[in-house]
Amino acid sequence: MRAWKAAALLNLALLLGVGWGYVFWGARTARLEQELRAARGAAAAGVERLWQVAGVVRAIVPEINVLVITHEDIPGYMPAMTMGFRASAPKIHEAVAVGDAVRFTLQGVPPNVVITAIEKTR
Amino acid sequence: MIALEVLVRWAHLALSVLLVGTAVSILLAGRSDRPTALGWETRMLDACRGLVVLAFAAGVAVLLLQTALLEGRRAAALDPGALRRVLLETRGGHVWLVRHGLLLLLAAFLAVPLDVRRRVDWRAARGETALLGLAALGAGAAAGHAAALPGALAAIATDTVHVLAAGAWVGGLLPLALLLRRAGRAEGADARPLAVLAARRFSRLALACVLALVASGSVIAWAQVGSVAGLVGTAYGRLLLGKLALLAPILALAALNRRRHLPALGGEALRVGRPAMRRLARFVAGEAALALAVLGLAATMGFTPPAAHAEPDWPFAFRLSLETLADAPARAARALVGSQVLVLGAVAALAALVVRRARWPLLGGALVVLGAGAAIALPPLAIDAYPTTYVRPAVPYQAASIVAGAARYREHCAVCHGPTGAGDGPGGLRLARPPADLRAPHTGQHTAGDLFWWITRGIPRAGMPAFGATLAAEERWDVINYVRALSAAHAARNMGPTVEPDRAWLVAPDFAYAVGPTPARTLKDYRGRRVVLLTLYALPGSRPRLAQLADLYGSLTALGAEVVAVPTDAAPDALRRLGAAPRILFPVVTEGAADIVAAYRMLAAAPHAELLIDRQGYVRAIGRGAGLAAAEPNALLAEIQELNAEKVPAPAPEEHVH
C-alpha cells in the first residue's frame, strides 16, 4: 500500500473515532436532558401531586381561607420560601396559630394546590 | 514513593517529548537521498520506535503508581479491579486510555514497512508519525491541573500549547545535535547542506516555540500561582522558579547559537563550516541536557498542588506594601523620588536596546540607575513579615467565629489589650511598651497571617506572650476575626443612616440563620441578588417600626431588598411573640439569633438597630435607635434605590479577613 493512503486511512479512522465519541457523548447528554425535561414536565402536565412539608405559620387570613407559611423545599415544585396557601376546608386553620412550627399536607395539580391537613410539630 | 513518582513521570514526559521532537525534526530536515542524511533518518526512525515502546512502558508505570496512590495501598497497582476503576471511572484514566491508544497506533504505524520513495508518501508517513506523537503528548493536558480550573477548556488549550511547544523545541534539540555531529564529520560532507537547512529551520521553529512557551507559561502561572507569596512560598512556586532559573542558561545558549554559531555555518569553504558545525552540535546537546532537567521539574509540578491552592510559607523577614505610605509623607516622598529614578533607568535600558552604537555603556548606566532607584524607593515600602504572613485564615469571617473569638479574647487578651481593644488593660501598665490599640487603623496594614504569627509565637521584645500552646489554631483564627471586628466597629462608629455613594468598605460578617424548621440560610446567599436590611429588634419598643416595615415589605421586595429581622433576646418563639397583627412576612430569625446579635451589636450598639447591606456584602448604612430614617419611610426606599443605581459595584469581599 502507498504510504499516503495508509496515513489517510489512519487519520480517517481517528476522525471517525473522535466523531463517534462526540456523537456518543452528545446522545448521552441529550438523553439526560430529555429525562430532566420529562421529570419537569410531569409537574406541569397536570398530574395530581402530594407533598408532606414542614414550615412555620407566619399569618392566617381567615376571610380568604389562606395560611401564609415559611416552608422548606417542596421537591419538584418550589424552593424554600414564605408563601400563602389556600386550605381545602375553612376549619383547617383553627388548629394552628401564628408562630407555630407545623407539618402540612399539600395536595393538588400544580399550581392549584391546597393544604388538606396541618398539625403542630412542637 | 515520591522519588519513584518523580522518576517515572519524568521518564514518561521526557520520552514523549523526545518522541515528538524526533518526529518533528525528521519532518523539518526534509527528505534527502544523501547516504549520511539517510543514515541519520533511519537512526531517528529506529529511535522513534524505541521511544514509543519506552514511553508506553513508562506510561504503564505511571498508571500503576497512580492506582496505588489513589487506592492508598501498594498491592492495588497489580489489582485488575482497581486498575479498571481508575481507567474507566476517572478523568485521568480516560485521558490515559486515549493517549496510550494513540501511542499504540503510532507503534503499529512505525512497525509497518512503508514505501516512501515518492515525495508525497514520505511526507504522509513522517507527518503521520509527528501528528500521532503530538496528539498523544498534547492530550495529557486534559487531565492536568488545567482541567480543574474554572473555564477549563481555555486553560486546557493553553496547557496543550505549552506542552506541544516544549515538545517540538526541547525534543528536537538532541536529534538536531546528532545530525550536526554526523554532518560535521569528514565523511559526512554530503549531508552538510541538509544539516545547515535543518538548523536554520529549527532555529526559526525554536524561536516561535519559545515565544509560545513564554506566553502560555505566563497565562498558566497567572492562573495557578497568581501571587508573589505563592511563587516564593509554595513547593509549586519554587519549582516554577527553579524552571525559570534553568531556562535562563538554556535561552542564553540558544541566543549564542542563533547569533554566533548559526551564521558561521554559512561559510562556503569546508574549513569554515565543519568546526562551526561540530561546535554547534556540542552547544545544542548542552541545551538538550539542561532542557531534560527542566522536564523533570515540569513533571514534578504536574503532581504538586498548584500554589493557588497551597498555604504559602513566606521565606523573607519583610515584605513590600504600599499601605506603609498611608500616613507617612516623608516615606511617600522618598518612594516617589525612587520610583521616578526607576522610570529613568527603565528608559535608559530601553534606549540601550534601540541605540546600537552606545549599547553597552548605556546598558551599564541603566543598571546602575535602576539599582539606585530600587535602593531609594524600596526601603520605605518594607514592612515586617513572617512565615504565616500570607496564610489564608482557616476560619471565615463569620458571626459565630467572632463570638467564639470574643470569649477567647476576654479570657486571654483583655487583661492587657483592654476590654474594648484600646490597649488599656491593667496587665499592660507594667509593660515597657504599651499593648497595641487593636482598634487603630494600622491593624489594616497587617495581614491576618501576621496576627496569626504574633498570637501563635508572641512578640518577645514587646512582652506579648505566645498562645500557640494554649489556643487551638481555630481558636486563634476566631480571636483574629474578633480583633478584625473590633477594628471595623471602631471605624464604623460614625457611619450614619444614609448611604455614601460608591464607598463600600465595611464588610458585613457572614452569618447563618433559620426561620422555624426551614433549612438554614446565610447572609452570603443574598450576595449578588438582594440588598438586605438587617434589623435587630427588641419588643416592645421596636413594634411600631416593625409594623412600618411590614407595611413597606411589598415595596421593599419590589426594589430587590429583603428584611431579615433578628430578635435581640434571641427568643426561640420570636414569631409567636410578634403575634398575628400586623402580619410580618419577612424572615424573623428563630435560630442563630444570639451570634448575629452579639457580632452586629459591635457595629450598632442600640436596642433597635438597622444595617443596610448591599449586594456585594458591605454594610452601607447603620441606623441606631429609631432605625433607618424611621420618620420618613420613603427615605429607606430612597437609600435602597441609591444602592440599586450604583453603576460600578465594589468587588465582593473575600470570605476571609485579609
Side-chain angles (χ1 to χ4, degrees):
Chain A
M1 189 158 59
R2 293 276 302 269
W4 73 266
K5 284 186 186 161
L9 271 178
L10 194 52
N11 284 340
L12 190 67
L14 276 177
L15 264 179
L16 280 178
V18 170
W20 177 80
Y22 184 77
V23 169
F24 178 77
W25 289 107
R28 221 165 98 151
T29 313
R31 202 179 64 233
L32 284 173
E33 265 175 15
Q34 201 178 359
E35 277 171 19
L36 198 67
R37 253 203 311 280
R40 281 206 191 116
V47 183
E48 164 119 359
R49 305 282 299 269
L50 186 105
W51 293 277
Q52 289 283 329
V53 191
V56 55
V57 178
R58 302 300 304 277
I60 299 169
V61 197
E63 309 90 283
I64 52 170
N65 201 18
V66 160
L67 289 114
V68 181
I69 299 175
T70 300
H71 63 78
E72 60 181 12
D73 267 7
I74 306 180
Y77 187 27
M78 65 172 76
M81 62 171 72
T82 302
M83 162 102 189
F85 293 103
R86 234 152 29 82
S88 64
K91 284 197 174 272
I92 280 182
H93 69 76
E94 286 174 7
V96 294
V98 169
D100 283 346
V102 293
R103 203 162 178 82
F104 60 101
T105 310
L106 205 58
Q107 196 176 349
V109 181
N112 297 313
V113 293
V114 292
I115 297 174
T116 53
I118 192 165
E119 57 172 3
K120 277 203 253 188
T121 49
R122 65 169 185 221
Chain B
M1 203 69 169
I2 286 186
L4 188 65
E5 186 163 20
V6 171
L7 202 69
V8 292
R9 280 178 184 268
W10 184 2
H12 181 59
L13 181 66
L15 291 165
S16 307
V17 159
L18 274 176
L19 174 64
V20 165
T22 310
V24 168
S25 58
I26 293 175
L27 207 57
L28 213 56
R31 203 166 77 108
S32 169
D33 297 327
R34 310 287 174 83
T36 310
L38 271 178
W40 174 75
E41 191 186 327
T42 314
R43 273 288 301 278
M44 289 304 107
L45 275 180
D46 285 341
C48 277
R49 290 189 188 102
L51 285 168
V52 171
V53 174
L54 288 175
F56 191 91
V60 170
V62 170
L63 173 72
L64 298 182
L65 200 63
Q66 193 64 30
T67 307
L69 285 171
L70 278 178
E71 295 267 322
R73 59 199 168 90
R74 277 184 191 195
L78 299 173
D79 173 2
L83 284 172
R84 201 173 56 234
R85 271 199 299 284
V86 169
L87 280 178
L88 298 181
E89 288 168 22
T90 67
R91 187 194 184 91
H94 295 160
V95 172
W96 192 95
L97 282 175
V98 169
R99 294 188 56 233
H100 290 75
L102 287 168
L103 284 180
L104 275 184
L105 264 184
L106 180 53
F109 186 76
L110 284 170
V112 177
L114 291 167
D115 177 9
V116 292
R117 273 170 305 182
R118 278 184 245 202
R119 183 170 288 271
V120 59
D121 287 334
W122 185 89
R123 281 197 183 151
R126 302 299 174 254
E128 189 67 17
T129 311
L131 185 72
L132 286 172
L134 284 166
L137 180 65
H145 288 317
L149 284 175
L153 216 56
I156 290 174
T158 316
D159 254 23
T160 310
V161 168
H162 196 73
V163 72
L164 290 187
W169 173 41
V170 169
L173 288 168
L174 217 49
L176 180 72
L178 289 173
L179 175 62
L180 288 169
R181 208 179 64 167
R182 270 175 189 248
R185 289 192 195 128
E187 67 274 20
D190 58 333
R192 240 164 266 166
L194 181 86
V196 173
L197 197 64
R200 285 198 185 134
R201 283 186 184 152
F202 185 82
S203 176
R204 276 201 293 277
L205 175 76
L207 187 64
C209 283
V210 168
L211 291 179
L213 277 173
V214 169
S216 57
S218 309
V219 172
I220 297 168
W222 184 261
Q224 304 283 17
V225 179
S227 68
V228 176
L231 189 63
V232 298
T234 62
Y236 189 91
R238 287 171 187 167
L239 284 169
L240 177 57
L241 283 178
K243 237 173 125 176
L244 291 176
L246 274 175
L247 195 65
I250 296 179
L251 288 182
L253 273 179
L256 193 68
N257 287 340
R258 198 177 156 79
R259 304 217 113 179
R260 282 274 161 78
H261 298 142
L262 203 56
L265 291 183
E268 290 294 318
L270 287 178
R271 271 185 302 109
V272 183
R274 247 183 76 196
M277 196 165 270
R278 283 217 300 267
R279 203 169 330 121
L280 181 57
R282 274 202 302 278
F283 273 80
V284 170
E287 254 186 84
L290 284 171
L292 273 180
V294 173
L295 287 183
L297 292 177
T300 314
M301 283 170 88
F303 65 91
T304 307
H309 301 287
E311 292 304 341
D313 180 19
W314 184 250
F316 307 114
F318 66 91
R319 64 190 174 98
L320 301 176
S321 164
L322 284 175
E323 282 167 34
T324 55
L325 306 180
D327 296 315
R331 293 157 70 119
R334 184 174 161 186
L336 195 67
V337 170
S339 69
Q340 296 314 299
V341 176
L342 276 173
V343 169
L344 198 70
V347 170
L350 277 179
L353 287 181
V354 179
V355 182
R356 196 162 279 222
R357 248 179 322 162
R359 173 165 295 168
W360 297 113
L362 250 180
L363 194 62
L367 286 178
V368 169
V369 174
L370 281 174
I376 297 171
L378 298 185
L381 300 179
I383 183 169
D384 283 351
Y386 312 92
T388 62
T389 287
Y390 289 102
V391 166
R392 279 174 287 263
V395 182
Y397 189 48
Q398 282 178 340
S401 165
I402 293 171
V403 171
R408 298 285 88 73
Y409 179 89
R410 278 193 295 275
E411 216 174 302
H412 299 288
C413 320
V415 63
C416 294
H417 286 286
T420 59
D424 55 358
L429 295 177
R430 56 193 167 72
L431 291 176
R433 209 170 88 177
D437 180 351
L438 299 175
R439 308 166 313 171
H442 73 79
T443 46
Q445 286 176 13
H446 307 302
T447 67
D450 285 342
L451 300 185
F452 188 75
W453 182 262
W454 289 328
I455 294 175
T456 307
R457 303 289 183 105
I459 309 175
R461 65 193 149 85
M464 163 134 175
F467 293 96
T470 339
L471 296 176
E474 281 80 25
E475 292 176 315
R476 277 171 266 157
W477 287 118
D478 287 341
V479 170
I480 289 164
N481 281 333
Y482 175 70
V483 169
R484 288 282 153 161
L486 266 182
S487 168
H490 188 68
R493 66 195 185 283
N494 292 326
M495 187 181 267
T498 43
V499 169
E500 273 186 78
D502 300 318
R503 276 206 65 219
W505 56 272
L506 180 60
V507 179
D510 195 19
F511 56 80
Y513 73 91
V515 184
T518 61
R521 307 192 68 169
T522 62
L523 176 65
K524 228 178 139 195
D525 293 341
Y526 294 106
R527 189 84 52 93
R529 300 200 180 120
R530 299 289 195 96
V531 172
V532 174
L533 182 71
L534 184 67
T535 306
L536 312 182
Y537 73 87
L539 292 177
S542 298
R543 195 172 281 284
R545 176 60 172 167
L546 288 176
Q548 201 175 35
L549 287 175
D551 265 356
L552 274 179
Y553 191 49
S555 315
L556 289 168
T557 317
L559 285 177
E562 177 66 289
V563 180
V564 177
V566 190
T568 45
D569 57 1
D573 59 344
L575 285 168
R576 199 167 293 151
R577 286 206 202 171
L578 282 171
R583 287 184 189 130
I584 290 173
L585 300 185
F586 43 74
V588 174
V589 176
T590 60
E591 271 161 68
D595 285 349
I596 303 174
V597 170
Y600 279 86
R601 272 271 166 88
M602 293 172 70
L603 299 176
H608 181 100
E610 289 174 20
L611 299 101
L612 195 60
I613 300 167
D614 70 12
R615 286 185 177 78
Q616 279 67 46
Y618 292 96
V619 178
R620 301 297 298 274
I622 299 177
R624 301 170 179 86
L628 276 168
E632 177 59 74
N634 287 336
L636 173 61
L637 301 182
E639 301 299 340
I640 292 166
Q641 245 157 353
E642 175 96 49
L643 292 182
N644 287 343
E646 270 180 8
K647 286 209 180 57
V648 189
E654 285 184 35
E655 192 176 331
H656 308 289
V657 297
H658 51 87

